[in-house]
Amino acid sequence: MVLGIRREDKNRWERRVALTPSHVKRLIRETGARVLVQPSNTRIFNNSSFERAGAKIEEDLTKADAILGIKEVPIDKLIANKTYMLFSHTHKGQAYNMDSLREFLGRNIRLIDYELMTDQKGKRLVLFGTHAGYAGMIDGLHGLGQRLLALGYNSPLIHMGQAHVYPNLECVATKLRHVADIISDQGLPDAFAPMVFTFTGAGNVTKGARAIFDRLPHDNITVDELPKIVADRFNPRYKNRLLALQVSAQDYVERIDGGSYDRAEYREFPDRYRSVFAQKIAPYTTMLVNGIYWESRYPRLMTTKDLADIQRRRELKSRMLAIADISCDIGGSLEFMSHASTIDSPFFYVDAVNGVEHKDIEKPGVQINSIDNLPTELPFEASKHFGDSLYPYAKALALGNLSDPVLSRAVICQNGKLEAPHAHLEKNLAAAHGIRVADTRRKRVLLVGSGMVSQPLVDYLARSRDTDITVASNNLDEARSLACQFPNTQAMQLDISDTRGLDASVRGSDVVVSLIPAPLHPQLADAAIRNGRHMVTASYISPEMESLNCRARDASVTILNEIGLDPGIDHCSAMKIIDEAKSRGATVRSFISWCGGLTAPECSANELGYKFSWSPRGVLTAGLNAAKFKINKLERTIESGSLFAQKFGRVPLFPGFAFEGLANRDSLQYADIYGLKLNDMDTMFRGTLRYRGFAEILDAMYELGMLSLDNAVRMTPFEFLASRINLEPGQFDLSQIAHALATRLNTTPTSPLVSRLITAFSEFGMLDPAHRAIHAPTHLDFMSHILQSSLKFTSGERDMVCLFHEFGIEEPSGEYNVHTSSMVAYGDAESGETAMART
């Protein structure tokens, strides 16, 4: 018999394994079985430890007769005609896994599910429940300590870390002894005394949670004692001890029509009962540790209204601070528990009064910890405990003893058929037949970039409660400022030059969105391809990006580009009219497209007539591109560096806008992309809109070497200006600056251009010698930094985007018509959301 141990791949935190190296060593010795282990760099036990145990590290498990894992296996990785042993999450007819069950049947796989490995009385024999309790309680204590600090109170709990930071439970025990000593010595915050921890449930989850909690100094109390204890809240005995309240259904439900609680009746007719937890227990509870198993026929422990009623009462502001919902029953016993949190982002907050869910630890709301894979935070002990439980049945499997009663009871399907106890699943399979059930696993989006256009995207993504968003940036403060505004959103520091860190971040996502400067896209795309993750950018496809096309195809990775405003919406709106023309047999003879991201006219009062709603570097580098286009049957080329000088001085699209224009890159290539025949066209042109006067200032800056991509710079803005116009040291007078500018630009000191430049440099803050030095890798980056700080939108200002297409179309009849398509959109001055970011 050959056993395979698969690499867990459901998420990057899943470090557990079904059998540890010591189990493998024993199994090989006792059964003579061969063991193949898929290599993994994240598993808690490294590859070499399995090799030393006698296993062979092997990527391909096709030689294995039986394959062991923990979590579900992606359908495309299932190997036909094998025995699989894992948590399949199919035996309850879970709709989201019926596709998987259909594949198990279709591929003739014997499926053995750990959840069904029971004794004769139905008691589960192989499970992680206790370790979920351990980790959930550790995380709960950690979160409560953080919450108290955010409310302005230091406490001994601030020293607790999240479970995954401890190498093992022995380290946790050491930390708990330390915290217990501080509680005994320094006490707990008076404002929150007495601190009551309420535990629900009596199974392994709650037993695990109590095993952690009980290491802290505490007294056990009953529900009947609560009013008296809280009335005596200033009693010194509560200063140095926590209070533990263990409750069961008889403590928090009552018969609706009166009478005493009857356990048998409650189980058979739960609709005769209602929960009074919110009235009897919650008003005295500091932290609720929820470990109950709940079904929809039972009354909820607490409703959203119950929570709102408690949060409205000012005298209860120190109560219901936190919930460790270890059962992680979404919308279950706690109606307001809307989603599972993650190890990366373990806490969210529910302000039921205002109907708000957020992630700001300092804002009102009960803190909720609802991680759905808690045992993997303690992967060493969890794997050892699980392997100890599993070993007798793994041994039976290795010996080919499939008649073992525990194994036979756990088989869901084999030989292409459901086993008799699971025949009812045929109905679930039939109900799901032909329907692609959406993957109910949480989606993970890695947004790289936290700049000007990021916020509306995060806002949009955060509306989907099943999506976790990570804002990754080299500016952690900026990323945190963005992330804290939205649920299910976290920030992280990311240096894309750190290949290992970049790969880990990309691998931990499902989709990567790149909003960083376009020259950095290829590096990020390379990591996406390397780690098999799809990627989206709004930028043009550069030659460097295009060179990755074959690798992306080979890796079945989609890199979606040019899906912003320009490029993006402009393509879509153009193709609509082009396709309509073709459908009636017409020919497009001329195509002119203008697009620009601008300030709203009322906010354009500076020499550039411009403020930045997207990266200044992108604006400046776009001006350095060469351009190709065709006008009136003549093809023209503008060389790199000449774009500003060869501007289109008047672009009369709308009478109310004083536009000028710049040619935009290679317009000719889009004839083929749009399905047009360039030889049949008189005009093919794409351009960028600016207000008049913009190009003159930028052209002068180019001539002064301010947009150079050479040479790192470390100086003040004034020193930089002086270096570009050959200003002598000590020359600060405006007339001296004007003379130096005129000399460099071959004009006169009294020319309108020099006057405009002096005004512009003053607006940029470049005439003040007292400004601090700036360090930048190039002259262009130096100017980008200056422009971003000096020409940013202020409160109450808004931007504008304008898109305008003009088509010359020859109809089949020979008639020539001009068609136009336009869009003008403004930013929201009140919210600060820009039109550029929204589009």
Side-chain angles (χ1 to χ4, degrees):
M1 173 71 75
V2 180
L3 293 186
I5 297 177
R6 73 179 307 271
R7 175 177 55 247
E8 298 300 320
D9 48 15
K10 186 166 185 178
N11 63 62
R12 65 191 178 94
W13 283 101
E14 189 51 78
R15 298 184 291 157
R16 293 174 291 177
V17 65
L19 295 174
T20 69
S22 62
H23 295 125
V24 168
K25 183 176 182 178
R26 180 182 169 192
L27 189 71
I28 293 172
R29 184 180 68 246
E30 294 181 358
T31 68
R34 291 177 57 212
V35 179
L36 307 179
V37 179
Q38 274 191 321
S40 171
N41 294 323
T42 57
R43 190 185 288 128
I44 189 62
F45 299 98
N46 61 26
N47 299 329
S48 61
S49 65
F50 280 102
E51 286 183 308
R52 290 193 298 270
K56 182 180 179 182
I57 303 302
E58 181 74 56
E59 179 67 34
D60 184 5
L61 296 183
T62 55
K63 296 177 183 177
D65 300 298
I67 298 172
L68 282 64
I70 300 292
K71 306 298 284 185
E72 301 101 313
V73 181
I75 288 175
D76 61 344
K77 295 182 180 179
L78 288 172
I79 304 172
N81 305 312
K82 304 294 180 186
T83 294
Y84 275 85
M85 184 183 287
L86 43 74
F87 288 109
S88 72
H89 300 294
T90 60
H91 75 94
K92 295 179 183 178
Q94 293 97 318
Y96 58 88
N97 271 338
M98 286 301 96
D99 281 346
S100 294
L101 182 56
R102 188 175 292 109
E103 289 297 322
F104 284 122
L105 290 165
R107 301 191 191 195
N108 192 34
I109 291 171
R110 177 186 290 114
L111 173 59
I112 301 175
D113 197 304
Y114 298 133
E115 286 192 76
L116 301 175
M117 297 176 75
T118 63
D119 62 16
Q120 290 181 333
K121 295 182 179 180
K123 181 181 178 181
R124 286 182 59 189
L125 299 172
V126 181
L127 66 167
F128 284 106
T130 305
H131 288 79
Y134 293 156
M137 191 72 244
I138 296 166
D139 288 354
L141 293 170
H142 163 71
L144 182 57
Q146 298 287 321
R147 180 64 162 157
L148 291 173
L149 187 65
L151 294 175
Y153 294 87
N154 182 45
S155 77
L157 301 182
I158 195 64
H159 300 288
M160 287 297 301
Q162 205 173 335
H164 68 82
V165 306
Y166 300 104
N168 50 50
L169 284 171
E170 184 178 347
C171 294
V172 175
T174 300
K175 175 57 69 175
L176 288 168
R177 285 194 297 271
H178 176 67
V179 172
D181 289 343
I182 299 176
I183 292 175
S184 298
D185 181 46
Q186 299 181 17
L188 300 158
D190 293 331
F192 299 92
M195 295 189 74
V196 177
F197 288 72
T198 299
F199 295 84
T200 63
N204 288 307
V205 165
T206 302
K207 289 176 182 176
R210 286 303 304 259
I212 296 297
F213 177 86
D214 288 353
R215 291 176 176 270
L216 300 175
H218 69 282
D219 292 324
N220 292 310
I221 60 172
T222 65
V223 173
D224 294 337
E225 295 177 274
L226 286 172
K228 180 179 178 181
I229 288 172
V230 174
D232 192 27
R233 61 190 299 266
F234 297 110
N235 190 316
R237 69 186 287 244
Y238 303 137
K239 176 74 175 176
N240 305 96
R241 299 186 74 75
L242 304 171
L243 300 180
L245 175 65
Q246 182 73 52
V247 298
S248 60
Q250 67 182 30
D251 295 308
Y252 57 77
V253 299
E254 66 178 15
R255 294 185 94 255
I256 295 173
D257 60 358
S260 60
Y261 170 83
D262 182 282
R263 185 171 182 267
E265 180 190 46
Y266 177 61
R267 292 199 166 204
E268 187 173 359
F269 303 105
D271 56 312
R272 297 177 183 176
Y273 289 78
R274 64 187 168 203
S275 172
V276 289
F277 185 90
Q279 293 73 40
K280 286 181 62 177
I281 300 170
Y284 306 101
T285 296
T286 306
M287 169 180 274
L288 168 62
V289 183
N290 189 31
I292 60 173
Y293 174 78
W294 183 83
E295 293 179 3
S296 59
R297 63 196 190 95
Y298 290 97
R300 284 190 166 97
L301 195 66
M302 284 184 69
T303 65
T304 304
K305 181 181 181 300
D306 290 335
L307 179 62
D309 290 343
I310 291 172
Q311 290 179 338
R312 285 192 184 95
R313 295 169 60 182
R314 294 187 60 188
E315 72 273 18
L316 298 182
K317 65 180 181 180
S318 64
R319 299 294 150 191
M320 287 299 291
L321 293 180
I323 298 174
D325 192 3
I326 304 174
S327 60
C328 193
D329 197 353
I330 297 170
S333 63
L334 302 172
E335 183 183 26
F336 46 85
M337 208 292 277
S338 64
H339 65 276
S341 58
T342 66
I343 296 171
D344 295 297
S345 182
F347 307 108
F348 64 96
Y349 300 82
V350 175
D351 175 0
V353 174
N354 296 303
V356 174
E357 187 178 290
H358 62 85
K359 300 187 80 170
D360 189 336
I361 194 171
E362 296 183 351
K363 289 183 179 179
V366 59
Q367 178 190 79
I368 297 180
N369 167 25
S370 57
I371 297 171
D372 63 357
N373 58 339
L374 283 165
T376 200
E377 288 201 76
L378 298 168
F380 181 82
E381 280 90 356
S383 297
K384 186 177 183 304
H385 168 82
F386 188 83
D388 286 345
S389 303
L390 177 62
Y391 183 82
Y393 316 110
K395 180 178 178 180
L397 182 63
L399 293 171
N401 183 16
L402 289 166
S403 61
D404 179 281
V406 173
L407 289 180
S408 61
R409 278 193 292 268
V411 175
I412 294 178
C413 64
Q414 59 183 334
N415 300 321
K417 296 180 180 180
L418 292 168
E419 291 292 280
H422 306 288
H424 64 280
L425 293 177
E426 288 287 2
K427 294 180 180 179
N428 301 83
L429 289 166
H433 185 66
I435 300 174
R436 180 71 178 176
V437 180
D439 187 348
T440 62
R441 293 178 296 179
R442 298 188 63 76
K443 285 75 174 176
R444 302 165 299 171
V445 176
L446 176 66
L447 170 58
V448 184
S450 56
M452 300 177 182
V453 298
S454 300
Q455 180 168 330
L457 175 60
V458 178
D459 181 29
Y460 176 80
L461 292 173
R463 296 172 197 169
S464 176
R465 290 190 170 186
D466 66 348
T467 301
D468 294 317
I469 307 152
T470 298
V471 181
S473 173
N474 62 355
N475 186 334
L476 184 57
D477 289 339
E478 184 178 71
R480 283 174 171 166
S481 178
L482 173 59
C484 72
Q485 303 175 50
F486 301 98
N488 308 323
T489 305
Q490 63 176 341
M492 69 172 291
Q493 183 101 32
L494 181 64
D495 176 2
I496 69 167
S497 64
D498 174 12
T499 302
R500 179 177 296 180
L502 177 61
D503 281 350
S505 300
V506 169
R507 195 164 49 246
S509 68
D510 297 310
V511 175
V512 179
V513 180
S514 179
L515 294 180
I516 54 179
L520 300 177
H521 289 331
Q523 197 168 345
L524 189 56
D526 186 65
I529 295 168
R530 201 164 51 237
N531 292 280
R533 298 296 185 264
H534 305 301
M535 176 174 148
V536 180
T537 86
S539 300
Y540 284 100
I541 301 175
S542 66
E544 293 80 9
M545 285 290 283
E546 192 166 9
S547 70
L548 298 172
N549 186 50
C550 290
R551 283 186 52 216
R553 285 176 180 270
D554 291 343
S556 297
V557 168
T558 297
I559 307 290
L560 182 61
N561 303 271
E562 301 194 9
I563 195 66
L565 169 65
D566 172 10
I569 294 175
D570 60 341
H571 293 335
C572 298
S573 56
M575 287 308 304
K576 178 179 184 295
I577 292 179
I578 291 170
D579 286 342
E580 288 173 350
K582 287 182 176 180
S583 69
R584 61 178 185 269
T587 303
V588 177
R589 299 295 186 189
S590 172
F591 174 69
I592 298 173
S593 176
W594 291 102
C595 188
L598 305 140
T599 62
E602 72 271 18
C603 305
S604 62
N606 61 64
E607 281 301 317
L608 272 185
Y610 198 84
K611 291 192 174 184
F612 290 90
S613 58
W614 62 299
S615 165
R617 193 182 199 282
V619 175
L620 298 182
T621 54
L624 302 182
N625 293 318
K628 293 180 180 180
F629 52 90
K630 184 178 184 180
I631 292 181
N632 296 328
K633 299 184 178 181
L634 294 177
E635 292 189 13
R636 287 184 54 191
T637 298
I638 298 177
E639 300 298 330
S640 174
S642 300
L643 205 61
F644 297 122
Q646 298 187 43
K647 66 182 182 294
F648 293 79
R650 293 184 73 254
V651 183
L653 303 182
F654 302 103
F657 293 117
F659 288 142
E660 66 182 22
L662 306 171
N664 187 2
R665 301 176 185 249
D666 181 2
S667 298
L668 303 182
Q669 65 174 323
Y670 286 94
D672 184 55
I673 292 172
Y674 290 169
L676 303 174
K677 295 181 179 179
L678 185 61
N679 291 336
D680 294 341
M681 298 180 70
D682 299 330
T683 298
M684 183 70 200
F685 178 86
R686 299 176 75 251
T688 300
L689 293 171
R690 295 288 182 260
Y691 292 131
R692 288 180 207 160
F694 176 92
E696 183 181 47
I697 297 292
L698 267 293
D699 186 51
M701 289 169 57
Y702 177 81
E703 292 297 327
L704 294 172
M706 291 180 169
L707 306 185
S708 167
L709 293 172
D710 299 325
N711 302 323
V713 188
R714 189 182 187 91
M715 55 181 70
T716 68
F718 182 79
E719 289 171 342
F720 179 70
L721 172 62
S723 73
R724 295 294 86 211
I725 63 176
N726 301 324
L727 200 64
E728 297 294 331
Q731 291 185 327
F732 302 109
D733 187 79
L734 289 182
S735 63
Q736 295 170 320
I737 295 172
H739 183 78
L741 277 169
T743 301
R744 284 282 281 111
L745 297 172
N746 195 27
T747 186
T748 64
T750 58
S751 71
L753 173 60
V754 169
S755 176
R756 290 194 65 211
L757 284 171
I758 289 177
T759 301
F761 291 145
S762 176
E763 292 170 342
F764 300 165
M766 298 180 73
L767 301 185
D768 184 355
H771 280 188
R772 62 186 180 85
I774 298 169
H775 180 232
T778 68
H779 292 178
L780 186 142
D781 288 291
F782 190 94
M783 285 307 304
S784 297
H785 185 282
I786 288 174
L787 295 176
Q788 182 161 339
S789 60
S790 61
L791 295 184
K792 59 187 177 183
F793 285 89
T794 58
S795 177
E797 293 187 328
R798 59 182 184 158
D799 72 328
M800 178 186 85
V801 298
C802 180
L803 172 63
F804 189 96
H805 295 317
E806 180 185 284
F807 303 83
I809 298 177
E810 183 180 334
E811 301 295 337
S813 65
E815 183 181 2
Y816 189 90
N817 293 314
V818 174
H819 297 258
T820 61
S821 171
S822 64
M823 178 187 78
V824 178
Y826 290 89
D828 187 331
E830 184 175 339
S831 70
E833 180 181 280
T834 65
M836 177 61 73
R838 191 167 66 245
T839 56

Tab-separated table of all heavy atoms in Angstrom, residues 21 24-25 28 35 37 39 43 45-58:
chain	number	residue	atom	x	y	z
A	21	PRO	N	5.542	13.657	11.058
A	21	PRO	CA	6.652	12.756	10.748
A	21	PRO	C	6.760	11.570	11.705
A	21	PRO	O	7.083	10.455	11.283
A	21	PRO	CB	7.878	13.671	10.843
A	21	PRO	CG	7.354	15.019	10.457
A	21	PRO	CD	5.977	15.081	11.060
A	24	VAL	N	4.268	9.076	10.639
A	24	VAL	CA	4.704	8.445	9.387
A	24	VAL	C	5.771	7.388	9.658
A	24	VAL	O	5.737	6.277	9.113
A	24	VAL	CB	5.216	9.513	8.396
A	24	VAL	CG1	5.941	8.873	7.224
A	24	VAL	CG2	4.053	10.372	7.907
A	25	LYS	N	6.726	7.732	10.516
A	25	LYS	CA	7.802	6.795	10.851
A	25	LYS	C	7.236	5.516	11.478
A	25	LYS	O	7.619	4.387	11.117
A	25	LYS	CB	8.789	7.451	11.803
A	25	LYS	CG	9.986	6.592	12.150
A	25	LYS	CD	10.958	7.375	13.032
A	25	LYS	CE	12.206	6.542	13.356
A	25	LYS	NZ	13.174	7.314	14.176
A	28	ILE	N	5.267	3.420	8.804
A	28	ILE	CA	6.146	2.664	7.906
A	28	ILE	C	6.711	1.438	8.631
A	28	ILE	O	6.767	0.329	8.078
A	28	ILE	CB	7.281	3.566	7.390
A	28	ILE	CG1	6.705	4.663	6.478
A	28	ILE	CG2	8.334	2.751	6.645
A	28	ILE	CD1	7.714	5.719	6.073
A	35	VAL	N	5.217	5.840	1.918
A	35	VAL	CA	4.517	7.106	2.137
A	35	VAL	C	5.129	8.177	1.241
A	35	VAL	O	6.342	8.415	1.283
A	35	VAL	CB	4.581	7.551	3.615
A	35	VAL	CG1	3.867	8.897	3.790
A	35	VAL	CG2	3.946	6.492	4.519
A	37	VAL	N	4.966	12.214	0.249
A	37	VAL	CA	4.541	13.499	0.828
A	37	VAL	C	4.792	14.608	-0.190
A	37	VAL	O	5.922	14.778	-0.656
A	37	VAL	CB	5.301	13.808	2.133
A	37	VAL	CG1	4.873	15.159	2.697
A	37	VAL	CG2	5.068	12.705	3.167
A	39	PRO	N	5.727	18.118	-1.449
A	39	PRO	CA	6.556	19.146	-0.813
A	39	PRO	C	5.738	20.387	-0.462
A	39	PRO	O	4.787	20.730	-1.161
A	39	PRO	CB	7.601	19.465	-1.885
A	39	PRO	CG	6.948	19.104	-3.177
A	39	PRO	CD	6.084	17.910	-2.873
A	43	ARG	N	4.083	24.098	5.401
A	43	ARG	CA	3.658	23.096	6.376
A	43	ARG	C	4.473	23.223	7.658
A	43	ARG	O	5.665	23.534	7.637
A	43	ARG	CB	3.817	21.708	5.757
A	43	ARG	CG	3.189	20.581	6.547
A	43	ARG	CD	3.520	19.247	5.905
A	43	ARG	NE	2.807	19.021	4.656
A	43	ARG	CZ	3.384	18.674	3.531
A	43	ARG	NH1	4.706	18.521	3.472
A	43	ARG	NH2	2.677	18.488	2.441
A	45	PHE	N	5.646	21.040	9.607
A	45	PHE	CA	6.772	20.101	9.587
A	45	PHE	C	7.419	20.178	8.205
A	45	PHE	O	6.741	19.988	7.194
A	45	PHE	CB	6.300	18.673	9.880
A	45	PHE	CG	5.653	18.513	11.226
A	45	PHE	CD1	4.272	18.519	11.348
A	45	PHE	CD2	6.434	18.377	12.371
A	45	PHE	CE1	3.664	18.383	12.583
A	45	PHE	CE2	5.834	18.246	13.620
A	45	PHE	CZ	4.455	18.247	13.730
A	46	ASN	N	8.709	20.468	8.158
A	46	ASN	CA	9.348	20.684	6.859
A	46	ASN	C	9.569	19.372	6.103
A	46	ASN	O	9.403	18.276	6.639
A	46	ASN	CB	10.655	21.472	7.013
A	46	ASN	CG	11.693	20.758	7.863
A	46	ASN	OD1	11.694	19.527	7.961
A	46	ASN	ND2	12.580	21.516	8.468
A	47	ASN	N	9.959	19.516	4.864
A	47	ASN	CA	10.100	18.353	3.991
A	47	ASN	C	11.139	17.366	4.510
A	47	ASN	O	10.947	16.143	4.463
A	47	ASN	CB	10.484	18.815	2.577
A	47	ASN	CG	9.425	19.703	1.957
A	47	ASN	OD1	8.247	19.559	2.242
A	47	ASN	ND2	9.849	20.629	1.119
A	48	SER	N	12.246	17.902	5.009
A	48	SER	CA	13.328	17.017	5.462
A	48	SER	C	12.914	16.176	6.659
A	48	SER	O	13.391	15.052	6.827
A	48	SER	CB	14.584	17.833	5.779
A	48	SER	OG	14.327	18.760	6.810
A	49	SER	N	12.016	16.702	7.502
A	49	SER	CA	11.575	15.914	8.668
A	49	SER	C	10.787	14.683	8.219
A	49	SER	O	10.859	13.626	8.848
A	49	SER	CB	10.737	16.777	9.615
A	49	SER	OG	9.529	17.193	9.007
A	50	PHE	N	10.046	14.804	7.127
A	50	PHE	CA	9.340	13.637	6.594
A	50	PHE	C	10.317	12.672	5.920
A	50	PHE	O	10.154	11.451	6.006
A	50	PHE	CB	8.259	14.084	5.606
A	50	PHE	CG	7.004	14.569	6.257
A	50	PHE	CD1	6.737	15.928	6.367
A	50	PHE	CD2	6.073	13.675	6.769
A	50	PHE	CE1	5.584	16.380	6.976
A	50	PHE	CE2	4.904	14.120	7.375
A	50	PHE	CZ	4.663	15.480	7.487
A	51	GLU	N	11.329	13.212	5.268
A	51	GLU	CA	12.338	12.343	4.645
A	51	GLU	C	13.070	11.527	5.703
A	51	GLU	O	13.328	10.330	5.521
A	51	GLU	CB	13.324	13.188	3.835
A	51	GLU	CG	12.746	13.718	2.528
A	51	GLU	CD	13.760	14.495	1.717
A	51	GLU	OE1	14.382	15.413	2.281
A	51	GLU	OE2	13.930	14.182	0.530
A	52	ARG	N	13.396	12.182	6.811
A	52	ARG	CA	14.084	11.462	7.898
A	52	ARG	C	13.191	10.387	8.486
A	52	ARG	O	13.684	9.382	9.024
A	52	ARG	CB	14.525	12.440	8.988
A	52	ARG	CG	15.675	13.360	8.563
A	52	ARG	CD	16.282	14.065	9.768
A	52	ARG	NE	15.328	14.923	10.439
A	52	ARG	CZ	15.119	16.204	10.148
A	52	ARG	NH1	15.807	16.765	9.155
A	52	ARG	NH2	14.248	16.925	10.816
A	53	ALA	N	11.880	10.593	8.401
A	53	ALA	CA	10.939	9.596	8.927
A	53	ALA	C	10.763	8.410	7.974
A	53	ALA	O	10.108	7.435	8.319
A	53	ALA	CB	9.586	10.247	9.196
A	54	GLY	N	11.345	8.506	6.779
A	54	GLY	CA	11.262	7.408	5.823
A	54	GLY	C	10.345	7.657	4.649
A	54	GLY	O	10.197	6.794	3.773
A	55	ALA	N	9.699	8.837	4.604
A	55	ALA	CA	8.815	9.160	3.486
A	55	ALA	C	9.625	9.670	2.308
A	55	ALA	O	10.775	10.097	2.450
A	55	ALA	CB	7.789	10.202	3.911
A	56	LYS	N	9.007	9.657	1.152
A	56	LYS	CA	9.623	10.211	-0.051
A	56	LYS	C	8.881	11.493	-0.422
A	56	LYS	O	7.651	11.516	-0.474
A	56	LYS	CB	9.553	9.225	-1.214
A	56	LYS	CG	10.224	9.742	-2.487
A	56	LYS	CD	10.127	8.730	-3.625
A	56	LYS	CE	10.789	9.271	-4.882
A	56	LYS	NZ	10.667	8.337	-6.026
A	57	ILE	N	9.642	12.572	-0.628
A	57	ILE	CA	9.028	13.831	-1.047
A	57	ILE	C	8.754	13.738	-2.541
A	57	ILE	O	9.662	13.574	-3.340
A	57	ILE	CB	9.944	15.029	-0.718
A	57	ILE	CG1	10.276	15.065	0.783
A	57	ILE	CG2	9.282	16.331	-1.151
A	57	ILE	CD1	9.058	15.152	1.681
A	58	GLU	N	7.491	13.848	-2.892
A	58	GLU	CA	7.075	13.594	-4.281
A	58	GLU	C	5.915	14.519	-4.636
A	58	GLU	O	4.877	14.525	-3.963
A	58	GLU	CB	6.633	12.138	-4.422
A	58	GLU	CG	6.205	11.738	-5.817
A	58	GLU	CD	7.388	11.579	-6.760
A	58	GLU	OE1	8.314	10.790	-6.442
A	58	GLU	OE2	7.368	12.261	-7.791
